[in-house]
Amino acid sequence: MVTALVAMCAIGAGPLVLAAPGLATTTPAPGSSGGTPSPAVATGAPSAGSVASGPPVVLDTQLTRILRAVATTAEEADAAADAGLLTGRIGGAAGELRAGAYALQAADDAAAALPPVTAAPVLLDLIPTSEGWPRSIVALTQGEEDPVPQALLLTQGSPRENYLLVSAIQMLPGSTFPSPPTAGATGPVALDDAGALNAAPQDAVTAIADHLTDPDDAAVQTFEDNSFTDAIIDFQAEVVADPGNDAATITFTHTAVPDRTEALLTGDGGAMVFGYLEHTYSSVPRSSGDTIDLTGTVYQELTGQDTSESGIDVNYGEAVMMYVPPAGSDATIRVVGAAQQLLSATLR
């Protein structure tokens, strides 16, 4: 028998409405009960540095220069589809997803490009006031052509290094971005210790990976309903249940990458957590003589084969942005944004 391999789902997005200063909210996606999406409205969100007790690690003028440099680098690399041009300004999850997009474009002319990196306007930012390195900052931006805001996470390893864009994530439809830290708040946030949060940031990233791998896992109680996990879990269930896949054993695994986790304080004592997951979608023939049909798919272009008698592993990168509430809160962890990109396909 022959099993036809299908591509992963795309993550949709809708436009932005700023509900209050320092609070960014996206409207429901088109087709949802929210009706026609509203256009973006700016309401003057304050800078985190303007309310901190000490000087921010990055001033407004410095942030503007950093974002322009990063956006220009992304624009040039995107135009050339050359991951080598990202060096020095874009790395981490952001670099890996972009490199994957370029590789896919080389194999498939119809492959969609990742959203551009937008430098301005800055809707709000999360900038700590503590001294020392490494340093992490977040800028929420949205250009005229962007359907939703994107959160840009930048890190600086030492005083003489450039800030590096390590995550670029679009907000999910209907999601809300928390306000900047209150006066006196500093960073960084411990990753492996819950401290003043209701969960350690690294535990939150591991929990969402576990939930996507096994939707019936207890981690389902950890998160608010959101379109990112719903879309992936629904897709996985549909693929496994498809009668056309009876000749294959299909598995989906999502694994947290600990050294890609970052966390910053928010105004209510919670934290914004950025994580990265490695996702493998595997399809293996059940019996001798069964095959996986790759004809007409991007996997055929990536592997150079029409079929596989031994199976295939398709690898995706998944960047997630979550809000973790403060300790004692009744709220659950909220997925605020996500990005997913096909990286490679390997025959077994």
Side-chain angles (χ1 to χ4, degrees):
M1 295 181 65
V2 176
T3 292
L5 199 66
V6 294
M8 278 292 293
C9 53
I11 300 169
L16 164 81
V17 173
L18 286 179
L23 191 67
T25 303
T26 60
T27 61
S32 70
S33 59
T36 303
S38 304
V41 179
T43 58
S47 165
S50 66
V51 296
S53 60
V57 299
V58 168
L59 302 175
D60 289 345
T61 53
Q62 294 173 312
L63 180 62
T64 297
R65 289 198 300 270
I66 292 167
L67 292 176
R68 284 176 178 169
V70 167
T72 298
T73 296
E75 182 179 13
E76 293 174 351
D78 290 353
D82 183 355
L85 297 178
L86 300 173
T87 304
R89 281 296 184 180
I90 300 176
E96 189 161 331
L97 296 189
R98 270 190 145 66
Y102 302 157
L104 188 60
Q105 290 165 17
D108 180 4
D109 292 338
L114 285 175
V117 174
T118 300
V122 177
L123 305 179
L124 60 83
D125 54 53
L126 303 181
I127 299 180
T129 59
S130 60
E131 298 179 355
W133 281 266
R135 293 175 171 178
S136 297
I137 62 176
V138 174
L140 191 70
T141 67
Q142 185 180 24
E144 292 183 0
E145 303 301 319
D146 299 332
V148 292
Q150 58 180 306
L152 306 177
L153 172 66
L154 303 111
T155 62
Q156 184 185 38
S158 68
R160 290 183 173 81
E161 292 182 54
N162 288 326
Y163 270 90
L164 191 72
L165 177 68
V166 296
S167 196
I169 299 180
Q170 290 185 298
M171 290 178 66
L172 296 179
S175 61
T176 300
F177 198 94
S179 60
T182 55
T186 60
V189 179
L191 300 181
D192 294 318
D193 182 6
L197 304 174
N198 76 355
Q202 189 57 64
D203 289 345
V205 179
T206 300
I208 197 167
D210 292 344
H211 176 46
L212 293 173
T213 299
D214 180 6
D216 296 324
D217 184 88
V220 67
Q221 304 298 327
T222 304
F223 302 95
E224 284 187 10
D225 289 341
N226 64 90
S227 57
F228 170 64
T229 57
D230 285 350
I232 290 179
I233 289 171
D234 288 349
F235 171 84
Q236 292 176 173
E238 290 171 5
V239 170
V240 172
D242 188 338
N245 294 329
D246 286 347
T249 298
I250 295 174
T251 57
F252 299 92
T253 58
H254 304 255
T255 306
V257 182
D259 62 3
R260 297 280 176 85
T261 302
E262 298 275 352
L264 292 90
L265 291 173
T266 58
D268 62 354
M272 287 301 298
V273 175
F274 292 78
Y276 188 66
L277 313 179
E278 292 177 342
H279 173 200
T280 301
Y281 162 22
S282 299
S283 183
V284 179
R286 289 185 184 274
S287 306
S288 177
D290 292 340
T291 60
I292 308 298
D293 183 12
L294 307 177
T295 306
T297 71
V298 68
Y299 311 124
Q300 180 186 26
E301 300 296 332
L302 291 174
T303 63
Q305 298 296 320
D306 299 335
T307 61
S308 173
E309 296 180 356
S310 56
I312 185 172
D313 292 324
V314 180
N315 302 304
Y316 288 81
E318 294 168 340
V320 293
M321 175 173 62
M322 300 178 287
Y323 165 72
V324 176
S329 171
D330 292 333
T332 51
I333 297 171
R334 188 169 72 243
V335 181
V336 178
Q340 183 192 70
Q341 176 61 50
L342 171 63
L343 301 179
S344 64
T346 305
L347 296 179
R348 293 193 170 200

